[in-house]
Amino acid sequence: MTKNSQNIRNFLPWLIVAIIIAITAGLRFRLLDVPLERDEGEYAYAGQLILQGIPPYSHVYNMKLPGIYAAYALILVVLGQTHAAIHMGLLIINAVTILLIFLLAKYLTGSFAAVFAAAAFAVMSLAQSVLGIFANAEHFVILFAVAGILLLVLAIDHNRLVLLLAASILLGVGFLMKQHGAAFIV
């Protein structure tokens, strides 16, 4: 195999994942102006309260953990306080998660399976059955869980305590987004 064909072979999976992310982002971009769903409205309101200096649970009462409120507050600060900004935040979070799934699958199985894992997640993350067009807490849990698992695998393989610490923090943040994140910690 020539060096040129080897370079193409190494570059091709990255190109395909970039195309997957671009297509998914394009679909999400067309949905930026969709009104907020019920949970999104709650998260946005709690995020706005945080930005006003009002701590979680003093004006909004529920059983949800505070991580999702902090994430929404961050989106509102960085991208603006509109429903389109929240959906743009989802677009970015989804793109990063697709990339992380590719990296994790590539490390564990190789490029071929990693491209399919990234594509499968991209398709499933848009599905109506999981309310994929809305910035619900599950998207945030998955982002931190996949990042944490990737660092955990790297920490184990390279015997790096700092990676283990970072993985633990990311998995903990995933739990703070929604209680279901505890499953990834286990």
Side-chain angles (χ1 to χ4, degrees):
M1 184 177 292
T2 68
K3 183 165 176 71
N4 214 12
S5 63
Q6 182 66 27
N7 287 342
I8 291 171
R9 192 175 140 178
N10 290 337
F11 177 72
L12 190 58
W14 291 96
L15 177 63
I16 294 170
V17 169
I19 292 168
I20 291 167
I21 290 171
I23 291 170
T24 307
L27 292 170
R28 287 195 180 282
F29 190 78
R30 294 176 45 91
L31 300 169
L32 289 181
D33 211 29
V34 171
L36 293 180
E37 178 258 349
R38 183 201 62 193
D39 285 348
E40 288 178 309
E42 174 192 330
Y43 303 151
Y45 177 63
Q48 285 179 328
L49 291 175
I50 289 172
L51 294 178
Q52 295 169 11
I54 300 170
Y57 311 112
S58 60
H59 286 64
V60 176
Y61 307 101
N62 61 37
M63 63 178 198
K64 295 175 181 134
L65 294 172
I68 189 65
Y69 303 143
Y72 262 69
L74 180 64
I75 289 171
L76 295 173
V77 162
V78 173
L79 300 174
Q81 296 196 20
T82 66
H83 63 285
I86 290 167
H87 293 139
M88 179 58 79
L90 172 61
L91 184 154
I92 294 166
I93 286 165
N94 187 249
V96 172
T97 306
I98 292 168
L99 180 61
L100 288 170
I101 286 175
F102 170 74
L103 291 172
L104 177 61
K106 185 176 185 296
Y107 187 79
L108 293 174
T109 63
S111 296
F112 184 74
V115 167
F116 281 98
F121 175 77
V123 169
M124 289 189 294
S125 71
L126 287 164
Q128 176 65 28
S129 61
V130 296
L131 300 175
I133 65 170
F134 300 112
N136 286 326
E138 290 80 6
H139 291 284
F140 296 82
V141 171
I142 293 169
L143 171 69
F144 289 103
V146 173
I149 292 168
L150 176 59
L151 289 184
L152 179 63
V153 169
L154 291 172
I156 292 168
D157 285 354
H158 299 292
N159 200 21
R160 300 289 308 265
L161 196 55
V162 70
L163 291 178
L164 183 61
L165 176 63
S168 301
I169 291 169
L170 287 169
L171 289 168
V173 171
F175 169 71
L176 286 177
M177 294 296 157
K178 191 168 185 173
Q179 294 89 329
H180 299 79
F184 293 102
I185 296 172
V186 173

PDB file of all heavy atoms in Angstrom, residues 150-186:
ATOM      1  N   LEU A 150     -15.027   7.544  27.418  1.00  0.00           N
ATOM      2  CA  LEU A 150     -13.825   7.618  26.591  1.00  0.00           C
ATOM      3  C   LEU A 150     -12.587   7.856  27.453  1.00  0.00           C
ATOM      4  O   LEU A 150     -11.575   7.157  27.314  1.00  0.00           O
ATOM      5  CB  LEU A 150     -13.967   8.722  25.540  1.00  0.00           C
ATOM      6  CG  LEU A 150     -12.751   8.983  24.652  1.00  0.00           C
ATOM      7  CD1 LEU A 150     -12.356   7.735  23.870  1.00  0.00           C
ATOM      8  CD2 LEU A 150     -13.011  10.149  23.716  1.00  0.00           C
ATOM      9  N   LEU A 151     -12.657   8.812  28.364  1.00  0.00           N
ATOM     10  CA  LEU A 151     -11.512   9.072  29.244  1.00  0.00           C
ATOM     11  C   LEU A 151     -11.251   7.913  30.193  1.00  0.00           C
ATOM     12  O   LEU A 151     -10.094   7.628  30.515  1.00  0.00           O
ATOM     13  CB  LEU A 151     -11.723  10.364  30.024  1.00  0.00           C
ATOM     14  CG  LEU A 151     -11.637  11.646  29.220  1.00  0.00           C
ATOM     15  CD1 LEU A 151     -11.778  12.862  30.126  1.00  0.00           C
ATOM     16  CD2 LEU A 151     -10.347  11.730  28.427  1.00  0.00           C
ATOM     17  N   LEU A 152     -12.297   7.236  30.628  1.00  0.00           N
ATOM     18  CA  LEU A 152     -12.128   6.068  31.497  1.00  0.00           C
ATOM     19  C   LEU A 152     -11.357   4.961  30.784  1.00  0.00           C
ATOM     20  O   LEU A 152     -10.424   4.377  31.337  1.00  0.00           O
ATOM     21  CB  LEU A 152     -13.493   5.559  31.964  1.00  0.00           C
ATOM     22  CG  LEU A 152     -13.483   4.323  32.863  1.00  0.00           C
ATOM     23  CD1 LEU A 152     -12.763   4.615  34.165  1.00  0.00           C
ATOM     24  CD2 LEU A 152     -14.916   3.879  33.129  1.00  0.00           C
ATOM     25  N   VAL A 153     -11.731   4.679  29.548  1.00  0.00           N
ATOM     26  CA  VAL A 153     -11.029   3.655  28.762  1.00  0.00           C
ATOM     27  C   VAL A 153      -9.569   4.054  28.559  1.00  0.00           C
ATOM     28  O   VAL A 153      -8.664   3.226  28.714  1.00  0.00           O
ATOM     29  CB  VAL A 153     -11.750   3.436  27.411  1.00  0.00           C
ATOM     30  CG1 VAL A 153     -10.919   2.588  26.477  1.00  0.00           C
ATOM     31  CG2 VAL A 153     -13.112   2.812  27.629  1.00  0.00           C
ATOM     32  N   LEU A 154      -9.341   5.314  28.236  1.00  0.00           N
ATOM     33  CA  LEU A 154      -7.972   5.783  28.051  1.00  0.00           C
ATOM     34  C   LEU A 154      -7.185   5.718  29.361  1.00  0.00           C
ATOM     35  O   LEU A 154      -6.001   5.356  29.364  1.00  0.00           O
ATOM     36  CB  LEU A 154      -7.971   7.212  27.505  1.00  0.00           C
ATOM     37  CG  LEU A 154      -8.476   7.389  26.083  1.00  0.00           C
ATOM     38  CD1 LEU A 154      -8.618   8.867  25.738  1.00  0.00           C
ATOM     39  CD2 LEU A 154      -7.558   6.695  25.088  1.00  0.00           C
ATOM     40  N   ALA A 155      -7.833   6.050  30.466  1.00  0.00           N
ATOM     41  CA  ALA A 155      -7.165   5.999  31.775  1.00  0.00           C
ATOM     42  C   ALA A 155      -6.745   4.581  32.125  1.00  0.00           C
ATOM     43  O   ALA A 155      -5.635   4.355  32.634  1.00  0.00           O
ATOM     44  CB  ALA A 155      -8.090   6.551  32.856  1.00  0.00           C
ATOM     45  N   ILE A 156      -7.603   3.632  31.843  1.00  0.00           N
ATOM     46  CA  ILE A 156      -7.294   2.235  32.144  1.00  0.00           C
ATOM     47  C   ILE A 156      -6.168   1.738  31.248  1.00  0.00           C
ATOM     48  O   ILE A 156      -5.211   1.115  31.715  1.00  0.00           O
ATOM     49  CB  ILE A 156      -8.552   1.360  31.998  1.00  0.00           C
ATOM     50  CG1 ILE A 156      -9.562   1.704  33.103  1.00  0.00           C
ATOM     51  CG2 ILE A 156      -8.191  -0.127  32.017  1.00  0.00           C
ATOM     52  CD1 ILE A 156     -10.941   1.126  32.892  1.00  0.00           C
ATOM     53  N   ASP A 157      -6.260   2.017  29.959  1.00  0.00           N
ATOM     54  CA  ASP A 157      -5.262   1.523  29.016  1.00  0.00           C
ATOM     55  C   ASP A 157      -3.889   2.166  29.197  1.00  0.00           C
ATOM     56  O   ASP A 157      -2.868   1.534  28.950  1.00  0.00           O
ATOM     57  CB  ASP A 157      -5.735   1.725  27.573  1.00  0.00           C
ATOM     58  CG  ASP A 157      -6.805   0.731  27.182  1.00  0.00           C
ATOM     59  OD1 ASP A 157      -7.105  -0.180  27.978  1.00  0.00           O
ATOM     60  OD2 ASP A 157      -7.358   0.873  26.075  1.00  0.00           O
ATOM     61  N   HIS A 158      -3.865   3.429  29.611  1.00  0.00           N
ATOM     62  CA  HIS A 158      -2.591   4.150  29.728  1.00  0.00           C
ATOM     63  C   HIS A 158      -2.172   4.359  31.178  1.00  0.00           C
ATOM     64  O   HIS A 158      -1.175   5.030  31.438  1.00  0.00           O
ATOM     65  CB  HIS A 158      -2.677   5.489  28.999  1.00  0.00           C
ATOM     66  CG  HIS A 158      -2.945   5.347  27.535  1.00  0.00           C
ATOM     67  ND1 HIS A 158      -2.028   4.813  26.657  1.00  0.00           N
ATOM     68  CD2 HIS A 158      -4.045   5.640  26.796  1.00  0.00           C
ATOM     69  CE1 HIS A 158      -2.550   4.796  25.447  1.00  0.00           C
ATOM     70  NE2 HIS A 158      -3.770   5.286  25.505  1.00  0.00           N
ATOM     71  N   ASN A 159      -2.970   3.795  32.106  1.00  0.00           N
ATOM     72  CA  ASN A 159      -2.656   3.867  33.531  1.00  0.00           C
ATOM     73  C   ASN A 159      -2.399   5.313  33.971  1.00  0.00           C
ATOM     74  O   ASN A 159      -1.380   5.619  34.585  1.00  0.00           O
ATOM     75  CB  ASN A 159      -1.457   2.976  33.871  1.00  0.00           C
ATOM     76  CG  ASN A 159      -1.402   2.650  35.350  1.00  0.00           C
ATOM     77  OD1 ASN A 159      -2.419   2.742  36.039  1.00  0.00           O
ATOM     78  ND2 ASN A 159      -0.228   2.294  35.819  1.00  0.00           N
ATOM     79  N   ARG A 160      -3.338   6.192  33.628  1.00  0.00           N
ATOM     80  CA  ARG A 160      -3.207   7.625  33.928  1.00  0.00           C
ATOM     81  C   ARG A 160      -4.271   8.027  34.942  1.00  0.00           C
ATOM     82  O   ARG A 160      -5.467   8.044  34.636  1.00  0.00           O
ATOM     83  CB  ARG A 160      -3.370   8.464  32.657  1.00  0.00           C
ATOM     84  CG  ARG A 160      -2.378   8.198  31.544  1.00  0.00           C
ATOM     85  CD  ARG A 160      -0.980   8.700  31.856  1.00  0.00           C
ATOM     86  NE  ARG A 160      -0.939  10.095  32.263  1.00  0.00           N
ATOM     87  CZ  ARG A 160      -0.700  11.102  31.452  1.00  0.00           C
ATOM     88  NH1 ARG A 160      -0.468  10.893  30.183  1.00  0.00           N
ATOM     89  NH2 ARG A 160      -0.698  12.328  31.927  1.00  0.00           N
ATOM     90  N   LEU A 161      -3.835   8.365  36.115  1.00  0.00           N
ATOM     91  CA  LEU A 161      -4.741   8.735  37.197  1.00  0.00           C
ATOM     92  C   LEU A 161      -5.489  10.033  36.896  1.00  0.00           C
ATOM     93  O   LEU A 161      -6.672  10.168  37.229  1.00  0.00           O
ATOM     94  CB  LEU A 161      -3.955   8.870  38.509  1.00  0.00           C
ATOM     95  CG  LEU A 161      -4.770   8.871  39.785  1.00  0.00           C
ATOM     96  CD1 LEU A 161      -5.656   7.631  39.862  1.00  0.00           C
ATOM     97  CD2 LEU A 161      -3.862   8.953  40.990  1.00  0.00           C
ATOM     98  N   VAL A 162      -4.840  10.983  36.243  1.00  0.00           N
ATOM     99  CA  VAL A 162      -5.490  12.253  35.926  1.00  0.00           C
ATOM    100  C   VAL A 162      -6.656  12.042  34.949  1.00  0.00           C
ATOM    101  O   VAL A 162      -7.692  12.706  35.058  1.00  0.00           O
ATOM    102  CB  VAL A 162      -4.469  13.296  35.403  1.00  0.00           C
ATOM    103  CG1 VAL A 162      -3.949  12.924  34.031  1.00  0.00           C
ATOM    104  CG2 VAL A 162      -5.070  14.680  35.382  1.00  0.00           C
ATOM    105  N   LEU A 163      -6.513  11.101  34.024  1.00  0.00           N
ATOM    106  CA  LEU A 163      -7.618  10.786  33.113  1.00  0.00           C
ATOM    107  C   LEU A 163      -8.765  10.124  33.865  1.00  0.00           C
ATOM    108  O   LEU A 163      -9.939  10.357  33.560  1.00  0.00           O
ATOM    109  CB  LEU A 163      -7.136   9.892  31.973  1.00  0.00           C
ATOM    110  CG  LEU A 163      -6.197  10.522  30.950  1.00  0.00           C
ATOM    111  CD1 LEU A 163      -5.770   9.493  29.913  1.00  0.00           C
ATOM    112  CD2 LEU A 163      -6.847  11.713  30.282  1.00  0.00           C
ATOM    113  N   LEU A 164      -8.419   9.301  34.847  1.00  0.00           N
ATOM    114  CA  LEU A 164      -9.436   8.651  35.671  1.00  0.00           C
ATOM    115  C   LEU A 164     -10.221   9.697  36.465  1.00  0.00           C
ATOM    116  O   LEU A 164     -11.451   9.628  36.557  1.00  0.00           O
ATOM    117  CB  LEU A 164      -8.797   7.636  36.609  1.00  0.00           C
ATOM    118  CG  LEU A 164      -9.746   6.819  37.474  1.00  0.00           C
ATOM    119  CD1 LEU A 164     -10.684   5.997  36.613  1.00  0.00           C
ATOM    120  CD2 LEU A 164      -8.946   5.931  38.412  1.00  0.00           C
ATOM    121  N   LEU A 165      -9.514  10.674  36.999  1.00  0.00           N
ATOM    122  CA  LEU A 165     -10.170  11.755  37.727  1.00  0.00           C
ATOM    123  C   LEU A 165     -11.092  12.549  36.802  1.00  0.00           C
ATOM    124  O   LEU A 165     -12.249  12.832  37.143  1.00  0.00           O
ATOM    125  CB  LEU A 165      -9.131  12.680  38.361  1.00  0.00           C
ATOM    126  CG  LEU A 165      -9.686  13.917  39.067  1.00  0.00           C
ATOM    127  CD1 LEU A 165     -10.554  13.515  40.248  1.00  0.00           C
ATOM    128  CD2 LEU A 165      -8.554  14.827  39.500  1.00  0.00           C
ATOM    129  N   ALA A 166     -10.603  12.896  35.621  1.00  0.00           N
ATOM    130  CA  ALA A 166     -11.416  13.637  34.659  1.00  0.00           C
ATOM    131  C   ALA A 166     -12.637  12.821  34.245  1.00  0.00           C
ATOM    132  O   ALA A 166     -13.748  13.367  34.122  1.00  0.00           O
ATOM    133  CB  ALA A 166     -10.582  14.022  33.439  1.00  0.00           C
ATOM    134  N   ALA A 167     -12.459  11.522  34.024  1.00  0.00           N
ATOM    135  CA  ALA A 167     -13.587  10.651  33.660  1.00  0.00           C
ATOM    136  C   ALA A 167     -14.621  10.628  34.771  1.00  0.00           C
ATOM    137  O   ALA A 167     -15.833  10.708  34.503  1.00  0.00           O
ATOM    138  CB  ALA A 167     -13.082   9.238  33.368  1.00  0.00           C
ATOM    139  N   SER A 168     -14.168  10.542  36.004  1.00  0.00           N
ATOM    140  CA  SER A 168     -15.091  10.526  37.147  1.00  0.00           C
ATOM    141  C   SER A 168     -15.892  11.812  37.227  1.00  0.00           C
ATOM    142  O   SER A 168     -17.099  11.793  37.474  1.00  0.00           O
ATOM    143  CB  SER A 168     -14.306  10.331  38.449  1.00  0.00           C
ATOM    144  OG  SER A 168     -13.575   9.136  38.412  1.00  0.00           O
ATOM    145  N   ILE A 169     -15.222  12.930  37.015  1.00  0.00           N
ATOM    146  CA  ILE A 169     -15.911  14.223  37.053  1.00  0.00           C
ATOM    147  C   ILE A 169     -16.955  14.301  35.945  1.00  0.00           C
ATOM    148  O   ILE A 169     -18.095  14.718  36.172  1.00  0.00           O
ATOM    149  CB  ILE A 169     -14.898  15.385  36.961  1.00  0.00           C
ATOM    150  CG1 ILE A 169     -14.078  15.439  38.253  1.00  0.00           C
ATOM    151  CG2 ILE A 169     -15.592  16.710  36.690  1.00  0.00           C
ATOM    152  CD1 ILE A 169     -12.875  16.355  38.192  1.00  0.00           C
ATOM    153  N   LEU A 170     -16.576  13.897  34.726  1.00  0.00           N
ATOM    154  CA  LEU A 170     -17.520  13.954  33.610  1.00  0.00           C
ATOM    155  C   LEU A 170     -18.729  13.048  33.844  1.00  0.00           C
ATOM    156  O   LEU A 170     -19.868  13.435  33.567  1.00  0.00           O
ATOM    157  CB  LEU A 170     -16.817  13.576  32.304  1.00  0.00           C
ATOM    158  CG  LEU A 170     -15.857  14.635  31.761  1.00  0.00           C
ATOM    159  CD1 LEU A 170     -15.024  14.055  30.623  1.00  0.00           C
ATOM    160  CD2 LEU A 170     -16.612  15.870  31.305  1.00  0.00           C
ATOM    161  N   LEU A 171     -18.497  11.855  34.356  1.00  0.00           N
ATOM    162  CA  LEU A 171     -19.616  10.955  34.642  1.00  0.00           C
ATOM    163  C   LEU A 171     -20.503  11.530  35.748  1.00  0.00           C
ATOM    164  O   LEU A 171     -21.733  11.402  35.691  1.00  0.00           O
ATOM    165  CB  LEU A 171     -19.104   9.563  35.004  1.00  0.00           C
ATOM    166  CG  LEU A 171     -18.503   8.790  33.828  1.00  0.00           C
ATOM    167  CD1 LEU A 171     -17.749   7.553  34.318  1.00  0.00           C
ATOM    168  CD2 LEU A 171     -19.562   8.407  32.819  1.00  0.00           C
ATOM    169  N   GLY A 172     -19.889  12.173  36.732  1.00  0.00           N
ATOM    170  CA  GLY A 172     -20.658  12.829  37.784  1.00  0.00           C
ATOM    171  C   GLY A 172     -21.501  13.976  37.247  1.00  0.00           C
ATOM    172  O   GLY A 172     -22.653  14.153  37.645  1.00  0.00           O
ATOM    173  N   VAL A 173     -20.934  14.750  36.330  1.00  0.00           N
ATOM    174  CA  VAL A 173     -21.694  15.845  35.709  1.00  0.00           C
ATOM    175  C   VAL A 173     -22.856  15.268  34.904  1.00  0.00           C
ATOM    176  O   VAL A 173     -23.954  15.829  34.910  1.00  0.00           O
ATOM    177  CB  VAL A 173     -20.774  16.736  34.844  1.00  0.00           C
ATOM    178  CG1 VAL A 173     -21.589  17.735  34.031  1.00  0.00           C
ATOM    179  CG2 VAL A 173     -19.765  17.469  35.721  1.00  0.00           C
ATOM    180  N   GLY A 174     -22.625  14.154  34.229  1.00  0.00           N
ATOM    181  CA  GLY A 174     -23.713  13.491  33.507  1.00  0.00           C
ATOM    182  C   GLY A 174     -24.861  13.143  34.442  1.00  0.00           C
ATOM    183  O   GLY A 174     -26.037  13.337  34.106  1.00  0.00           O
ATOM    184  N   PHE A 175     -24.533  12.663  35.635  1.00  0.00           N
ATOM    185  CA  PHE A 175     -25.557  12.364  36.641  1.00  0.00           C
ATOM    186  C   PHE A 175     -26.278  13.634  37.074  1.00  0.00           C
ATOM    187  O   PHE A 175     -27.491  13.626  37.278  1.00  0.00           O
ATOM    188  CB  PHE A 175     -24.921  11.666  37.846  1.00  0.00           C
ATOM    189  CG  PHE A 175     -25.840  11.556  39.023  1.00  0.00           C
ATOM    190  CD1 PHE A 175     -26.924  10.699  39.009  1.00  0.00           C
ATOM    191  CD2 PHE A 175     -25.629  12.328  40.155  1.00  0.00           C
ATOM    192  CE1 PHE A 175     -27.788  10.605  40.095  1.00  0.00           C
ATOM    193  CE2 PHE A 175     -26.468  12.248  41.244  1.00  0.00           C
ATOM    194  CZ  PHE A 175     -27.555  11.382  41.225  1.00  0.00           C
ATOM    195  N   LEU A 176     -25.542  14.741  37.217  1.00  0.00           N
ATOM    196  CA  LEU A 176     -26.166  15.996  37.637  1.00  0.00           C
ATOM    197  C   LEU A 176     -27.137  16.544  36.593  1.00  0.00           C
ATOM    198  O   LEU A 176     -27.993  17.365  36.914  1.00  0.00           O
ATOM    199  CB  LEU A 176     -25.109  17.050  37.953  1.00  0.00           C
ATOM    200  CG  LEU A 176     -24.347  16.855  39.250  1.00  0.00           C
ATOM    201  CD1 LEU A 176     -23.289  17.923  39.405  1.00  0.00           C
ATOM    202  CD2 LEU A 176     -25.290  16.854  40.446  1.00  0.00           C
ATOM    203  N   MET A 177     -26.988  16.113  35.348  1.00  0.00           N
ATOM    204  CA  MET A 177     -27.907  16.546  34.299  1.00  0.00           C
ATOM    205  C   MET A 177     -29.269  15.889  34.467  1.00  0.00           C
ATOM    206  O   MET A 177     -30.304  16.498  34.259  1.00  0.00           O
ATOM    207  CB  MET A 177     -27.359  16.233  32.906  1.00  0.00           C
ATOM    208  CG  MET A 177     -26.131  16.996  32.554  1.00  0.00           C
ATOM    209  SD  MET A 177     -26.464  18.755  32.489  1.00  0.00           S
ATOM    210  CE  MET A 177     -24.843  19.399  32.764  1.00  0.00           C
ATOM    211  N   LYS A 178     -29.243  14.610  34.824  1.00  0.00           N
ATOM    212  CA  LYS A 178     -30.484  13.868  35.057  1.00  0.00           C
ATOM    213  C   LYS A 178     -30.119  12.595  35.805  1.00  0.00           C
ATOM    214  O   LYS A 178     -29.077  11.996  35.566  1.00  0.00           O
ATOM    215  CB  LYS A 178     -31.183  13.540  33.728  1.00  0.00           C
ATOM    216  CG  LYS A 178     -32.582  13.004  33.896  1.00  0.00           C
ATOM    217  CD  LYS A 178     -33.327  12.959  32.585  1.00  0.00           C
ATOM    218  CE  LYS A 178     -34.761  12.524  32.851  1.00  0.00           C
ATOM    219  NZ  LYS A 178     -35.571  12.616  31.650  1.00  0.00           N
ATOM    220  N   GLN A 179     -31.003  12.154  36.679  1.00  0.00           N
ATOM    221  CA  GLN A 179     -30.736  10.991  37.521  1.00  0.00           C
ATOM    222  C   GLN A 179     -30.336   9.755  36.720  1.00  0.00           C
ATOM    223  O   GLN A 179     -29.566   8.917  37.192  1.00  0.00           O
ATOM    224  CB  GLN A 179     -31.965  10.653  38.387  1.00  0.00           C
ATOM    225  CG  GLN A 179     -32.314  11.687  39.407  1.00  0.00           C
ATOM    226  CD  GLN A 179     -33.266  12.742  38.887  1.00  0.00           C
ATOM    227  OE1 GLN A 179     -33.274  13.096  37.715  1.00  0.00           O
ATOM    228  NE2 GLN A 179     -34.086  13.296  39.786  1.00  0.00           N
ATOM    229  N   HIS A 180     -30.823   9.638  35.512  1.00  0.00           N
ATOM    230  CA  HIS A 180     -30.535   8.461  34.687  1.00  0.00           C
ATOM    231  C   HIS A 180     -29.045   8.339  34.375  1.00  0.00           C
ATOM    232  O   HIS A 180     -28.569   7.280  34.002  1.00  0.00           O
ATOM    233  CB  HIS A 180     -31.333   8.528  33.381  1.00  0.00           C
ATOM    234  CG  HIS A 180     -32.802   8.544  33.604  1.00  0.00           C
ATOM    235  ND1 HIS A 180     -33.477   9.690  33.983  1.00  0.00           N
ATOM    236  CD2 HIS A 180     -33.737   7.568  33.525  1.00  0.00           C
ATOM    237  CE1 HIS A 180     -34.762   9.410  34.120  1.00  0.00           C
ATOM    238  NE2 HIS A 180     -34.943   8.143  33.842  1.00  0.00           N
ATOM    239  N   GLY A 181     -28.310   9.426  34.525  1.00  0.00           N
ATOM    240  CA  GLY A 181     -26.859   9.396  34.300  1.00  0.00           C
ATOM    241  C   GLY A 181     -26.142   8.484  35.279  1.00  0.00           C
ATOM    242  O   GLY A 181     -25.002   8.081  35.026  1.00  0.00           O
ATOM    243  N   ALA A 182     -26.795   8.121  36.364  1.00  0.00           N
ATOM    244  CA  ALA A 182     -26.192   7.202  37.348  1.00  0.00           C
ATOM    245  C   ALA A 182     -25.889   5.849  36.712  1.00  0.00           C
ATOM    246  O   ALA A 182     -24.938   5.176  37.125  1.00  0.00           O
ATOM    247  CB  ALA A 182     -27.102   7.037  38.546  1.00  0.00           C
ATOM    248  N   ALA A 183     -26.659   5.444  35.726  1.00  0.00           N
ATOM    249  CA  ALA A 183     -26.439   4.152  35.070  1.00  0.00           C
ATOM    250  C   ALA A 183     -25.052   4.094  34.422  1.00  0.00           C
ATOM    251  O   ALA A 183     -24.422   3.036  34.401  1.00  0.00           O
ATOM    252  CB  ALA A 183     -27.502   3.910  34.014  1.00  0.00           C
ATOM    253  N   PHE A 184     -24.557   5.218  33.921  1.00  0.00           N
ATOM    254  CA  PHE A 184     -23.244   5.240  33.290  1.00  0.00           C
ATOM    255  C   PHE A 184     -22.131   5.178  34.333  1.00  0.00           C
ATOM    256  O   PHE A 184     -21.051   4.686  34.059  1.00  0.00           O
ATOM    257  CB  PHE A 184     -23.085   6.486  32.414  1.00  0.00           C
ATOM    258  CG  PHE A 184     -23.988   6.483  31.232  1.00  0.00           C
ATOM    259  CD1 PHE A 184     -25.140   7.241  31.223  1.00  0.00           C
ATOM    260  CD2 PHE A 184     -23.697   5.688  30.120  1.00  0.00           C
ATOM    261  CE1 PHE A 184     -25.991   7.232  30.126  1.00  0.00           C
ATOM    262  CE2 PHE A 184     -24.542   5.673  29.029  1.00  0.00           C
ATOM    263  CZ  PHE A 184     -25.690   6.447  29.037  1.00  0.00           C
ATOM    264  N   ILE A 185     -22.403   5.683  35.523  1.00  0.00           N
ATOM    265  CA  ILE A 185     -21.406   5.613  36.585  1.00  0.00           C
ATOM    266  C   ILE A 185     -21.204   4.180  37.030  1.00  0.00           C
ATOM    267  O   ILE A 185     -20.079   3.743  37.257  1.00  0.00           O
ATOM    268  CB  ILE A 185     -21.813   6.508  37.771  1.00  0.00           C
ATOM    269  CG1 ILE A 185     -21.828   7.971  37.331  1.00  0.00           C
ATOM    270  CG2 ILE A 185     -20.882   6.304  38.957  1.00  0.00           C
ATOM    271  CD1 ILE A 185     -22.412   8.932  38.359  1.00  0.00           C
ATOM    272  N   VAL A 186     -22.301   3.448  37.120  1.00  0.00           N
ATOM    273  CA  VAL A 186     -22.234   2.041  37.528  1.00  0.00           C
ATOM    274  C   VAL A 186     -21.428   1.265  36.503  1.00  0.00           C
ATOM    275  O   VAL A 186     -20.560   0.482  36.813  1.00  0.00           O
ATOM    276  CB  VAL A 186     -23.635   1.434  37.681  1.00  0.00           C
ATOM    277  CG1 VAL A 186     -23.572  -0.044  37.945  1.00  0.00           C
ATOM    278  CG2 VAL A 186     -24.403   2.144  38.786  1.00  0.00           C
TER     279      VAL A 186
END
